Amino acid sequence: MYATSGHGSFDGEKKEIIRRAFVSQFDDHLARHYYIDGLRGEAKKIALPRDLVV
């Protein structure tokens, strides 16, 4: 479990935790497809190409 700093965006902190978890398991070339993108208050998206979905 991770605690937040109380400063800045909790949303951004969660995205960074997920990003670090993927980078620790895969190289950045593959991990970047799983990064969560989107501005605060807007819809989030993951840029996973359809050919990687099984």
Side-chain angles (χ1 to χ4, degrees):
M1 182 166 181
Y2 297 93
T4 61
S5 66
H7 304 288
S9 168
F10 178 69
D11 204 33
E13 291 177 25
K14 289 189 293 186
K15 289 191 312 185
E16 184 59 29
I17 290 167
I18 293 168
R19 184 178 302 239
R20 277 190 255 142
F22 273 101
V23 170
S24 74
Q25 298 298 313
F26 309 102
D27 68 10
D28 187 60
H29 178 72
L30 183 60
R32 66 185 167 88
H33 295 296
Y34 297 91
Y35 295 163
I36 300 170
D37 291 319
L39 297 174
R40 179 183 241 176
E42 294 184 2
K44 306 298 185 254
K45 64 181 179 177
I46 298 173
L48 182 64
R50 289 282 181 193
D51 62 324
L52 293 180
V53 178
V54 292

Short mmCIF file of all heavy atoms in Angstrom, two decimals:
data_model
loop_
_atom_site.label_atom_id
_atom_site.label_comp_id
_atom_site.label_asym_id
_atom_site.label_seq_id
_atom_site.Cartn_x
_atom_site.Cartn_y
_atom_site.Cartn_z
N MET A 1 0.85 -1.18 0.00
CA MET A 1 0.00 0.00 0.00
C MET A 1 0.89 1.24 0.00
O MET A 1 1.92 1.27 0.64
CB MET A 1 -0.89 -0.02 1.23
CG MET A 1 -1.83 1.12 1.29
SD MET A 1 -3.08 0.76 2.54
CE MET A 1 -4.03 2.19 2.40
N TYR A 2 0.47 2.27 -0.71
CA TYR A 2 1.25 3.48 -0.84
C TYR A 2 0.52 4.65 -0.19
O TYR A 2 -0.69 4.76 -0.30
CB TYR A 2 1.51 3.81 -2.31
CG TYR A 2 2.32 2.76 -3.00
CD1 TYR A 2 1.73 1.71 -3.68
CD2 TYR A 2 3.70 2.80 -2.94
CE1 TYR A 2 2.49 0.73 -4.30
CE2 TYR A 2 4.47 1.84 -3.56
CZ TYR A 2 3.86 0.81 -4.24
OH TYR A 2 4.62 -0.15 -4.85
N ALA A 3 1.24 5.49 0.46
CA ALA A 3 0.67 6.71 1.04
C ALA A 3 0.96 7.87 0.11
O ALA A 3 1.97 7.88 -0.58
CB ALA A 3 1.29 6.97 2.41
N THR A 4 0.10 8.83 0.11
CA THR A 4 0.33 10.01 -0.71
C THR A 4 1.02 11.07 0.13
O THR A 4 0.97 11.05 1.35
CB THR A 4 -0.99 10.56 -1.27
OG1 THR A 4 -1.82 10.94 -0.19
CG2 THR A 4 -1.68 9.53 -2.15
N SER A 5 1.65 12.00 -0.55
CA SER A 5 2.42 13.02 0.14
C SER A 5 1.55 14.11 0.76
O SER A 5 2.01 14.86 1.60
CB SER A 5 3.40 13.66 -0.84
OG SER A 5 2.69 14.36 -1.84
N GLY A 6 0.31 14.23 0.30
CA GLY A 6 -0.52 15.32 0.77
C GLY A 6 -0.31 16.59 -0.03
O GLY A 6 -0.99 17.58 0.16
N HIS A 7 0.64 16.57 -0.94
CA HIS A 7 0.92 17.71 -1.82
C HIS A 7 0.70 17.26 -3.25
O HIS A 7 1.08 16.17 -3.63
CB HIS A 7 2.36 18.19 -1.66
CG HIS A 7 2.71 18.54 -0.26
ND1 HIS A 7 2.24 19.66 0.37
CD2 HIS A 7 3.48 17.90 0.65
CE1 HIS A 7 2.71 19.69 1.60
NE2 HIS A 7 3.46 18.64 1.80
N GLY A 8 0.07 18.10 -4.04
CA GLY A 8 -0.10 17.76 -5.44
C GLY A 8 -1.28 16.83 -5.68
O GLY A 8 -2.16 16.68 -4.86
N SER A 9 -1.22 16.18 -6.80
CA SER A 9 -2.35 15.39 -7.27
C SER A 9 -2.26 13.94 -6.85
O SER A 9 -1.31 13.23 -7.17
CB SER A 9 -2.40 15.48 -8.80
OG SER A 9 -3.27 14.52 -9.32
N PHE A 10 -3.26 13.46 -6.12
CA PHE A 10 -3.34 12.05 -5.77
C PHE A 10 -3.43 11.22 -7.04
O PHE A 10 -2.83 10.17 -7.16
CB PHE A 10 -4.55 11.81 -4.87
CG PHE A 10 -4.73 10.37 -4.48
CD1 PHE A 10 -3.83 9.75 -3.64
CD2 PHE A 10 -5.78 9.63 -4.99
CE1 PHE A 10 -3.99 8.43 -3.28
CE2 PHE A 10 -5.95 8.31 -4.63
CZ PHE A 10 -5.05 7.70 -3.77
N ASP A 11 -4.19 11.72 -8.01
CA ASP A 11 -4.34 11.06 -9.30
C ASP A 11 -2.97 10.88 -9.96
O ASP A 11 -2.64 9.81 -10.46
CB ASP A 11 -5.25 11.90 -10.19
CG ASP A 11 -5.94 11.10 -11.26
OD1 ASP A 11 -6.25 9.92 -11.02
OD2 ASP A 11 -6.17 11.66 -12.35
N GLY A 12 -2.16 11.90 -9.97
CA GLY A 12 -0.83 11.84 -10.56
C GLY A 12 0.08 10.88 -9.82
O GLY A 12 0.89 10.17 -10.43
N GLU A 13 -0.06 10.82 -8.51
CA GLU A 13 0.75 9.89 -7.72
C GLU A 13 0.40 8.45 -8.04
O GLU A 13 1.27 7.60 -8.18
CB GLU A 13 0.58 10.16 -6.23
CG GLU A 13 1.19 11.47 -5.79
CD GLU A 13 0.96 11.76 -4.33
OE1 GLU A 13 0.76 10.81 -3.56
OE2 GLU A 13 1.00 12.94 -3.96
N LYS A 14 -0.90 8.16 -8.18
CA LYS A 14 -1.32 6.80 -8.54
C LYS A 14 -0.81 6.42 -9.92
O LYS A 14 -0.33 5.31 -10.12
CB LYS A 14 -2.85 6.69 -8.51
CG LYS A 14 -3.43 6.72 -7.11
CD LYS A 14 -4.90 6.40 -7.10
CE LYS A 14 -5.69 7.48 -7.80
NZ LYS A 14 -7.14 7.29 -7.69
N LYS A 15 -0.89 7.36 -10.87
CA LYS A 15 -0.40 7.08 -12.22
C LYS A 15 1.10 6.80 -12.19
O LYS A 15 1.58 5.91 -12.89
CB LYS A 15 -0.71 8.24 -13.16
CG LYS A 15 -2.19 8.36 -13.47
CD LYS A 15 -2.53 9.32 -14.59
CE LYS A 15 -1.91 10.65 -14.54
NZ LYS A 15 -2.35 11.57 -15.57
N GLU A 16 1.85 7.53 -11.39
CA GLU A 16 3.30 7.32 -11.30
C GLU A 16 3.62 5.97 -10.68
O GLU A 16 4.57 5.30 -11.10
CB GLU A 16 3.95 8.45 -10.52
CG GLU A 16 5.46 8.36 -10.46
CD GLU A 16 6.14 8.35 -11.82
OE1 GLU A 16 5.60 8.94 -12.78
OE2 GLU A 16 7.23 7.74 -11.94
N ILE A 17 2.87 5.54 -9.68
CA ILE A 17 3.09 4.23 -9.06
C ILE A 17 2.86 3.13 -10.10
O ILE A 17 3.65 2.20 -10.20
CB ILE A 17 2.15 4.04 -7.85
CG1 ILE A 17 2.60 4.96 -6.70
CG2 ILE A 17 2.12 2.58 -7.40
CD1 ILE A 17 1.58 5.10 -5.59
N ILE A 18 1.80 3.26 -10.87
CA ILE A 18 1.51 2.27 -11.92
C ILE A 18 2.61 2.29 -12.97
O ILE A 18 3.08 1.24 -13.41
CB ILE A 18 0.12 2.55 -12.53
CG1 ILE A 18 -0.97 2.28 -11.49
CG2 ILE A 18 -0.09 1.71 -13.79
CD1 ILE A 18 -2.34 2.79 -11.87
N ARG A 19 3.04 3.47 -13.37
CA ARG A 19 4.10 3.60 -14.38
C ARG A 19 5.39 2.91 -13.90
O ARG A 19 6.00 2.15 -14.64
CB ARG A 19 4.36 5.08 -14.66
CG ARG A 19 5.36 5.34 -15.75
CD ARG A 19 5.52 6.82 -16.00
NE ARG A 19 4.26 7.43 -16.35
CZ ARG A 19 4.03 8.08 -17.49
NH1 ARG A 19 4.99 8.25 -18.37
NH2 ARG A 19 2.85 8.59 -17.74
N ARG A 20 5.78 3.17 -12.66
CA ARG A 20 6.99 2.55 -12.12
C ARG A 20 6.88 1.03 -12.06
O ARG A 20 7.85 0.32 -12.31
CB ARG A 20 7.31 3.10 -10.74
CG ARG A 20 8.06 4.42 -10.80
CD ARG A 20 8.57 4.81 -9.43
NE ARG A 20 7.70 5.89 -8.97
CZ ARG A 20 7.29 6.05 -7.73
NH1 ARG A 20 7.65 5.22 -6.79
NH2 ARG A 20 6.51 7.04 -7.41
N ALA A 21 5.68 0.54 -11.73
CA ALA A 21 5.48 -0.91 -11.67
C ALA A 21 5.67 -1.54 -13.04
O ALA A 21 6.32 -2.59 -13.16
CB ALA A 21 4.08 -1.22 -11.14
N PHE A 22 5.16 -0.93 -14.09
CA PHE A 22 5.34 -1.47 -15.43
C PHE A 22 6.79 -1.40 -15.87
O PHE A 22 7.32 -2.34 -16.45
CB PHE A 22 4.43 -0.77 -16.43
CG PHE A 22 3.06 -1.39 -16.51
CD1 PHE A 22 1.99 -0.80 -15.87
CD2 PHE A 22 2.85 -2.57 -17.21
CE1 PHE A 22 0.73 -1.37 -15.92
CE2 PHE A 22 1.60 -3.15 -17.28
CZ PHE A 22 0.53 -2.55 -16.63
N VAL A 23 7.45 -0.28 -15.60
CA VAL A 23 8.86 -0.14 -16.01
C VAL A 23 9.75 -1.13 -15.27
O VAL A 23 10.73 -1.62 -15.81
CB VAL A 23 9.34 1.32 -15.80
CG1 VAL A 23 10.84 1.45 -15.98
CG2 VAL A 23 8.62 2.25 -16.77
N SER A 24 9.37 -1.48 -14.04
CA SER A 24 10.18 -2.46 -13.30
C SER A 24 10.07 -3.86 -13.88
O SER A 24 10.94 -4.69 -13.67
CB SER A 24 9.78 -2.47 -11.82
OG SER A 24 8.54 -3.12 -11.63
N GLN A 25 9.00 -4.14 -14.63
CA GLN A 25 8.78 -5.46 -15.20
C GLN A 25 9.12 -5.55 -16.69
O GLN A 25 9.40 -6.63 -17.20
CB GLN A 25 7.32 -5.89 -15.00
CG GLN A 25 6.92 -5.99 -13.55
CD GLN A 25 7.71 -7.05 -12.80
OE1 GLN A 25 7.87 -8.16 -13.28
NE2 GLN A 25 8.23 -6.69 -11.65
N PHE A 26 9.02 -4.43 -17.39
CA PHE A 26 9.24 -4.39 -18.84
C PHE A 26 10.13 -3.22 -19.17
O PHE A 26 10.23 -2.28 -18.40
CB PHE A 26 7.91 -4.20 -19.59
CG PHE A 26 6.84 -5.17 -19.19
CD1 PHE A 26 5.82 -4.79 -18.33
CD2 PHE A 26 6.84 -6.46 -19.66
CE1 PHE A 26 4.82 -5.67 -17.98
CE2 PHE A 26 5.85 -7.36 -19.31
CZ PHE A 26 4.84 -6.96 -18.47
N ASP A 27 10.76 -3.24 -20.36
CA ASP A 27 11.51 -2.05 -20.76
C ASP A 27 10.51 -0.96 -21.15
O ASP A 27 9.32 -1.21 -21.37
CB ASP A 27 12.50 -2.36 -21.86
CG ASP A 27 11.87 -2.70 -23.20
OD1 ASP A 27 10.65 -2.55 -23.37
OD2 ASP A 27 12.60 -3.14 -24.10
N ASP A 28 10.98 0.27 -21.22
CA ASP A 28 10.10 1.41 -21.46
C ASP A 28 9.38 1.30 -22.80
O ASP A 28 8.25 1.73 -22.94
CB ASP A 28 10.88 2.72 -21.39
CG ASP A 28 9.96 3.92 -21.47
OD1 ASP A 28 9.09 4.06 -20.58
OD2 ASP A 28 10.09 4.71 -22.43
N HIS A 29 10.02 0.67 -23.79
CA HIS A 29 9.41 0.53 -25.11
C HIS A 29 8.08 -0.22 -25.03
O HIS A 29 7.11 0.16 -25.69
CB HIS A 29 10.37 -0.21 -26.05
CG HIS A 29 9.81 -0.44 -27.41
ND1 HIS A 29 9.64 0.59 -28.32
CD2 HIS A 29 9.37 -1.56 -28.02
CE1 HIS A 29 9.12 0.09 -29.42
NE2 HIS A 29 8.94 -1.21 -29.27
N LEU A 30 7.99 -1.25 -24.22
CA LEU A 30 6.74 -2.00 -24.04
C LEU A 30 5.86 -1.36 -22.97
O LEU A 30 4.65 -1.24 -23.14
CB LEU A 30 7.04 -3.45 -23.68
CG LEU A 30 5.84 -4.37 -23.53
CD1 LEU A 30 5.04 -4.43 -24.82
CD2 LEU A 30 6.28 -5.76 -23.12
N ALA A 31 6.46 -0.92 -21.88
CA ALA A 31 5.70 -0.38 -20.75
C ALA A 31 4.92 0.87 -21.13
O ALA A 31 3.82 1.09 -20.61
CB ALA A 31 6.63 -0.08 -19.58
N ARG A 32 5.43 1.68 -22.04
CA ARG A 32 4.76 2.94 -22.37
C ARG A 32 3.35 2.73 -22.93
O ARG A 32 2.51 3.61 -22.85
CB ARG A 32 5.60 3.77 -23.33
CG ARG A 32 5.79 3.17 -24.69
CD ARG A 32 6.76 4.03 -25.52
NE ARG A 32 7.17 3.31 -26.70
CZ ARG A 32 6.51 3.35 -27.87
NH1 ARG A 32 5.44 4.10 -27.98
NH2 ARG A 32 6.94 2.66 -28.90
N HIS A 33 3.08 1.55 -23.48
CA HIS A 33 1.74 1.27 -23.99
C HIS A 33 0.71 1.16 -22.87
O HIS A 33 -0.49 1.24 -23.12
CB HIS A 33 1.73 -0.04 -24.79
CG HIS A 33 2.55 0.03 -26.04
ND1 HIS A 33 2.24 0.87 -27.09
CD2 HIS A 33 3.66 -0.64 -26.40
CE1 HIS A 33 3.14 0.71 -28.05
NE2 HIS A 33 4.00 -0.19 -27.65
N TYR A 34 1.17 0.98 -21.65
CA TYR A 34 0.27 0.79 -20.51
C TYR A 34 0.18 2.01 -19.60
O TYR A 34 -0.51 1.98 -18.59
CB TYR A 34 0.72 -0.43 -19.69
CG TYR A 34 0.64 -1.70 -20.50
CD1 TYR A 34 1.73 -2.14 -21.23
CD2 TYR A 34 -0.53 -2.44 -20.53
CE1 TYR A 34 1.66 -3.31 -21.98
CE2 TYR A 34 -0.61 -3.61 -21.28
CZ TYR A 34 0.49 -4.03 -22.00
OH TYR A 34 0.41 -5.17 -22.75
N TYR A 35 0.87 3.09 -19.94
CA TYR A 35 0.81 4.30 -19.14
C TYR A 35 -0.58 4.91 -19.23
O TYR A 35 -1.21 4.93 -20.28
CB TYR A 35 1.83 5.33 -19.61
CG TYR A 35 3.27 4.94 -19.44
CD1 TYR A 35 4.26 5.63 -20.12
CD2 TYR A 35 3.66 3.90 -18.61
CE1 TYR A 35 5.60 5.29 -19.97
CE2 TYR A 35 4.99 3.57 -18.46
CZ TYR A 35 5.95 4.26 -19.14
OH TYR A 35 7.27 3.93 -19.00
N ILE A 36 -1.04 5.46 -18.13
CA ILE A 36 -2.35 6.11 -18.08
C ILE A 36 -2.13 7.58 -18.39
O ILE A 36 -1.36 8.26 -17.70
CB ILE A 36 -2.99 5.94 -16.70
CG1 ILE A 36 -3.17 4.45 -16.40
CG2 ILE A 36 -4.31 6.69 -16.63
CD1 ILE A 36 -3.58 4.16 -14.97
N ASP A 37 -2.79 8.07 -19.42
CA ASP A 37 -2.67 9.47 -19.82
C ASP A 37 -4.02 10.16 -19.68
O ASP A 37 -5.06 9.54 -19.79
CB ASP A 37 -2.22 9.57 -21.28
CG ASP A 37 -0.80 9.12 -21.49
OD1 ASP A 37 0.05 9.44 -20.64
OD2 ASP A 37 -0.53 8.43 -22.49
N GLY A 38 -3.97 11.45 -19.46
CA GLY A 38 -5.18 12.26 -19.37
C GLY A 38 -5.00 13.34 -18.33
O GLY A 38 -4.38 13.12 -17.30
N LEU A 39 -5.54 14.48 -18.63
CA LEU A 39 -5.43 15.61 -17.72
C LEU A 39 -6.39 15.46 -16.56
O LEU A 39 -7.40 14.75 -16.64
CB LEU A 39 -5.72 16.91 -18.46
CG LEU A 39 -4.74 17.24 -19.60
CD1 LEU A 39 -5.21 18.48 -20.35
CD2 LEU A 39 -3.34 17.43 -19.06
N ARG A 40 -6.09 16.13 -15.47
CA ARG A 40 -6.94 16.08 -14.28
C ARG A 40 -8.36 16.52 -14.64
O ARG A 40 -8.55 17.51 -15.32
CB ARG A 40 -6.37 17.02 -13.22
CG ARG A 40 -7.19 17.07 -11.97
CD ARG A 40 -6.62 18.05 -11.01
NE ARG A 40 -6.26 17.33 -9.81
CZ ARG A 40 -5.66 17.86 -8.78
NH1 ARG A 40 -5.29 19.10 -8.81
NH2 ARG A 40 -5.38 17.14 -7.74
N GLY A 41 -9.32 15.74 -14.20
CA GLY A 41 -10.71 16.04 -14.46
C GLY A 41 -11.22 15.59 -15.81
O GLY A 41 -12.39 15.75 -16.13
N GLU A 42 -10.33 15.04 -16.65
CA GLU A 42 -10.73 14.56 -17.97
C GLU A 42 -10.64 13.04 -18.02
O GLU A 42 -10.09 12.41 -17.12
CB GLU A 42 -9.83 15.18 -19.04
CG GLU A 42 -10.00 16.68 -19.17
CD GLU A 42 -9.18 17.24 -20.32
OE1 GLU A 42 -8.52 16.46 -21.05
OE2 GLU A 42 -9.20 18.46 -20.48
N ALA A 43 -11.17 12.47 -19.08
CA ALA A 43 -11.12 11.02 -19.26
C ALA A 43 -9.67 10.56 -19.37
O ALA A 43 -8.83 11.26 -19.93
CB ALA A 43 -11.89 10.63 -20.51
N LYS A 44 -9.39 9.42 -18.79
CA LYS A 44 -8.05 8.83 -18.87
C LYS A 44 -8.04 7.80 -19.99
O LYS A 44 -9.08 7.25 -20.35
CB LYS A 44 -7.69 8.14 -17.55
CG LYS A 44 -7.82 9.01 -16.32
CD LYS A 44 -6.90 10.21 -16.37
CE LYS A 44 -6.95 11.00 -15.09
NZ LYS A 44 -7.67 12.24 -15.18
N LYS A 45 -6.86 7.55 -20.55
CA LYS A 45 -6.75 6.56 -21.61
C LYS A 45 -5.43 5.81 -21.49
O LYS A 45 -4.48 6.29 -20.87
CB LYS A 45 -6.87 7.20 -22.98
CG LYS A 45 -5.74 8.18 -23.29
CD LYS A 45 -5.90 8.80 -24.64
CE LYS A 45 -4.76 9.79 -24.87
NZ LYS A 45 -4.80 10.40 -26.16
N ILE A 46 -5.40 4.63 -22.05
CA ILE A 46 -4.19 3.81 -22.13
C ILE A 46 -3.97 3.56 -23.61
O ILE A 46 -4.87 3.07 -24.30
CB ILE A 46 -4.36 2.50 -21.36
CG1 ILE A 46 -4.59 2.78 -19.88
CG2 ILE A 46 -3.13 1.60 -21.55
CD1 ILE A 46 -4.93 1.57 -19.05
N ALA A 47 -2.79 3.88 -24.11
CA ALA A 47 -2.50 3.82 -25.54
C ALA A 47 -2.05 2.43 -25.98
O ALA A 47 -1.05 2.27 -26.67
CB ALA A 47 -1.44 4.86 -25.91
N LEU A 48 -2.80 1.41 -25.61
CA LEU A 48 -2.46 0.04 -25.97
C LEU A 48 -2.96 -0.25 -27.38
O LEU A 48 -4.17 -0.19 -27.63
CB LEU A 48 -3.10 -0.93 -24.97
CG LEU A 48 -2.80 -2.40 -25.18
CD1 LEU A 48 -1.31 -2.67 -24.99
CD2 LEU A 48 -3.59 -3.24 -24.22
N PRO A 49 -2.05 -0.56 -28.31
CA PRO A 49 -2.48 -0.89 -29.66
C PRO A 49 -3.34 -2.16 -29.67
O PRO A 49 -3.10 -3.08 -28.91
CB PRO A 49 -1.17 -1.13 -30.42
CG PRO A 49 -0.12 -0.46 -29.60
CD PRO A 49 -0.59 -0.54 -28.20
N ARG A 50 -4.35 -2.19 -30.52
CA ARG A 50 -5.27 -3.31 -30.59
C ARG A 50 -4.55 -4.64 -30.87
O ARG A 50 -4.98 -5.68 -30.41
CB ARG A 50 -6.32 -3.08 -31.68
CG ARG A 50 -7.31 -2.02 -31.33
CD ARG A 50 -8.31 -2.58 -30.37
NE ARG A 50 -9.29 -1.54 -30.04
CZ ARG A 50 -10.11 -1.65 -29.06
NH1 ARG A 50 -10.11 -2.71 -28.30
NH2 ARG A 50 -10.97 -0.70 -28.79
N ASP A 51 -3.45 -4.61 -31.61
CA ASP A 51 -2.76 -5.86 -31.92
C ASP A 51 -2.06 -6.46 -30.70
O ASP A 51 -1.65 -7.62 -30.74
CB ASP A 51 -1.77 -5.68 -33.08
CG ASP A 51 -0.66 -4.68 -32.77
OD1 ASP A 51 -0.92 -3.68 -32.08
OD2 ASP A 51 0.48 -4.93 -33.23
N LEU A 52 -1.95 -5.72 -29.60
CA LEU A 52 -1.38 -6.26 -28.39
C LEU A 52 -2.44 -6.82 -27.44
O LEU A 52 -2.12 -7.40 -26.41
CB LEU A 52 -0.57 -5.18 -27.65
CG LEU A 52 0.69 -4.69 -28.35
CD1 LEU A 52 1.38 -3.62 -27.51
CD2 LEU A 52 1.63 -5.84 -28.63
N VAL A 53 -3.72 -6.64 -27.79
CA VAL A 53 -4.82 -7.17 -26.97
C VAL A 53 -5.09 -8.60 -27.40
O VAL A 53 -5.27 -8.89 -28.58
CB VAL A 53 -6.09 -6.31 -27.15
CG1 VAL A 53 -7.24 -6.88 -26.35
CG2 VAL A 53 -5.82 -4.87 -26.75
N VAL A 54 -5.11 -9.50 -26.41
CA VAL A 54 -5.40 -10.92 -26.72
C VAL A 54 -6.67 -11.37 -26.06
O VAL A 54 -7.12 -10.85 -25.10
CB VAL A 54 -4.25 -11.85 -26.32
CG1 VAL A 54 -3.05 -11.59 -27.21
CG2 VAL A 54 -3.88 -11.68 -24.88
#
